[in-house]
């Protein structure tokens, strides 16, 4: 049988039969992989504990007809360890794993940029230097950008009216009044559709900071703008995925 090697992040696991598990991994070279880990639910398993979600693993696999089979697993870094006892960080991490899986719908299609985003996000959660909600929203926005869905924040998403350099404002210095999920981001008054949100200018500035990785600005943001930002990001994400991210409902938005 064809053997191959890859490393990646374990996204989730579920039971198979009496002793096996199906492991879903986002791999560096092969994208999303679903593979069987035989016997890992037995107490004498050689590598059961190495194949838990959040773990960066180095794997040896052989290709099967329907599912590949994991024959060797070595831990590179267990990103879940610092998250296990911290509910806000843990739930943010679970939402990242689910989102990464949703953004890689085709098995074995390379998705290196998505993997690197996930590794960076999990590392940032573990380090604890920034609020978990901000780390999660930064990850979600950048995942959208990698997929080609970055929201327009400095120009009208519909007519392309240029901004003057300030988030949420038009070329004449007037604020772009609305965020329209279906349109693709901020829109001018002329293009504003019914039901569009009206975010505060600091909220739009926060979204732009997270997208750019400007953590000095993001960390100085106020709670109310973080909450508003999270709502917009979640709505925009779920629109483009055409599927809800179930784990987002458990994330503490503070």
């Amino acid at each position: 049988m064809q053997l191959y090697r890859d490393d990646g992040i374990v996204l989730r696991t579920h039971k198979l039969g009496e002793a096996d598990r199906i492991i879903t991994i986002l791999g560096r070279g092969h994208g999303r992989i679903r593979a069987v880990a035989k016997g890992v639910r037995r107490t004498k398993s050689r590598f059961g504990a190495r194949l838990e979600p959040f773990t960066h693993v180095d794997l040896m696999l052989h290709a099967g007809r329907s599912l590949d089979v994991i024959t060797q697993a070595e831990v590179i870094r267990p990103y879940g360890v610092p998250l296990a006892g911290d509910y806000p960080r843990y739930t943010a991490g679970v939402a990242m794993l689910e989102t990464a899986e949703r953004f890689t719908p085709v098995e074995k299609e390379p998705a290196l940029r998505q993997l690197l985003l996930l590794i960076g996000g999990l590392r940032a959660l573990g380090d604890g230097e920034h609020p978990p909600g901000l780390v999660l929203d930064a990850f979600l926005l950048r995942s959208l950008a990698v997929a080609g869905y970055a929201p327009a924040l400095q120009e009208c998403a519909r007519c392309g009216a240029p901004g003057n350099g300030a988030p949420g404002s038009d070329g004449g210095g007037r604020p772009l009044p609305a965020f329209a999920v279906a349109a693709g981001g901020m829109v001018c008054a002329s293009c504003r559709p019914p039901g569009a949100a009206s975010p505060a200018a600091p909220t739009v500035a926060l979204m732009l900071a997270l997208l750019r990785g400007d953590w000095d600005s993001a960390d100085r943001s106020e709670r109310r703008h973080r909450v508003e930002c999270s709502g917009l990001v979640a709505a925009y994400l779920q629109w483009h995925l055409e599927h809800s991210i179930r784990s987002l409902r458990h994330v503490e938005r503070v």
Side-chain angles (χ1 to χ4, degrees):
M1 294 185 181
Q2 181 182 359
L3 288 171
Y4 68 95
R5 186 174 183 177
D6 207 345
D7 72 279
I9 299 291
V10 177
L11 300 179
R12 66 185 175 100
T13 71
H14 63 272
K15 295 178 182 179
L16 177 67
E18 296 183 357
D20 305 340
R21 285 189 187 276
I22 295 178
I23 314 295
T24 302
I25 308 110
L26 182 56
R28 185 178 301 272
H30 294 80
R32 184 169 61 83
I33 304 164
R34 293 174 69 246
V36 176
K38 294 184 177 294
V40 294
R41 290 159 55 202
R42 297 193 181 104
T43 55
K44 295 183 179 180
S45 170
R46 291 176 297 142
F47 48 72
R50 306 173 194 173
L51 295 171
E52 292 298 322
F54 299 111
T55 308
H56 190 180
V57 288
D58 185 0
L59 301 173
M60 186 69 72
L61 309 97
H62 69 69
R65 290 184 177 179
S66 57
L67 291 170
D68 297 348
V69 178
I70 298 171
T71 60
Q72 182 177 328
E74 299 295 335
V75 174
I76 296 174
R77 182 167 175 175
Y79 287 104
V81 171
L83 310 183
D86 188 304
Y87 184 81
R89 288 197 288 173
Y90 175 79
T91 53
V94 171
M96 286 184 184
L97 298 185
E98 184 181 352
T99 300
E101 184 171 3
R102 294 295 178 191
F103 269 117
T104 51
V106 180
E107 289 188 28
K108 294 190 176 179
E109 183 175 279
L112 179 58
R113 293 179 68 189
Q114 183 63 55
L115 174 65
L116 296 178
L117 277 176
L118 181 59
I119 291 173
L122 294 178
R123 182 185 296 121
L125 279 181
D127 292 343
E129 295 182 1
H130 310 290
L134 291 183
V135 175
L136 173 59
D137 286 338
F139 170 79
L140 298 180
L141 283 166
R142 294 178 195 179
S143 293
L144 283 159
V146 165
Y149 302 130
L153 299 174
Q154 294 184 287
E155 66 283 325
C156 178
R158 283 191 165 173
C159 70
N164 65 351
S169 61
D170 66 14
R174 296 178 299 274
L176 293 171
F179 186 93
V181 170
M186 298 300 294
V187 291
C188 66
S190 299
C191 296
R192 178 175 185 163
S198 300
T203 298
V204 183
L206 173 58
M207 293 177 70
L208 187 63
L210 294 175
L211 194 55
R212 291 176 170 177
D214 180 1
W215 285 105
D216 288 340
S217 297
D219 287 337
R220 291 196 302 268
S221 62
E222 297 181 18
R223 179 184 182 278
R224 60 192 173 112
H225 299 133
R226 295 180 186 183
V227 172
E228 187 175 40
C229 171
S230 294
L232 293 176
V233 171
Y236 190 75
L237 172 74
Q238 293 180 127
W239 169 270
H240 283 287
L241 287 180
E242 299 182 348
H243 194 288
S244 63
I245 301 297
R246 291 175 296 176
S247 50
L248 281 178
R249 72 187 69 169
H250 303 297
V251 175
E252 290 187 349
R253 295 303 195 179
V254 295

